[in-house]
């Protein structure tokens, strides 16, 4: 008999403009190296689950703004 435990993590955040004053709804958020992407909701929030523990860069893009990681 074998028992296997998978350890995964999650990442949640909010996309705002650089001053942090304006929430950016419906932005595309990509976890680079994890092959996962999401669209922020109307509150600018995104959520990723089942991420392998590690270090990732997260990039956000939306029309009318310069992309940043």
């Amino acid at each position: 008999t074998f028992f296997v435990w998978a350890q995964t993590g999650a990442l949640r955040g909010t996309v705002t403009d650089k001053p942090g004053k304006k929430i950016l709804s419906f932005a595309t958020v990509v976890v680079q190296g994890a092959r996962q992407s999401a669209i922020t909701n109307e509150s600018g929030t995104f959520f990723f689950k089942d991420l392998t523990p590690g270090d990732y860069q997260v990039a956000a893009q939306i029309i009318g703004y310069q992309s940043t990681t």
Side-chain angles (χ1 to χ4, degrees):
T1 303
F2 291 95
F3 295 98
V4 177
W5 287 273
Q7 293 184 357
T8 59
L11 174 66
R12 179 186 315 264
T14 303
V15 177
T16 63
D17 63 358
K18 191 165 184 171
K21 295 179 182 177
K22 182 177 180 185
I23 291 172
L24 299 179
S25 303
F26 311 109
T28 301
V29 181
V30 178
V31 178
Q32 297 173 350
R35 296 185 181 172
Q36 289 194 37
S37 64
I39 304 294
T40 60
N41 63 17
E42 55 278 345
S43 301
T45 302
F46 63 88
F47 180 74
F48 294 97
K49 63 180 183 176
D50 299 328
L51 291 172
T52 303
D55 294 326
Y56 296 98
Q57 285 192 5
V58 178
Q61 296 178 323
I62 191 168
I63 294 172
Y65 287 85
Q66 183 178 358
S67 180
T68 186
T69 57

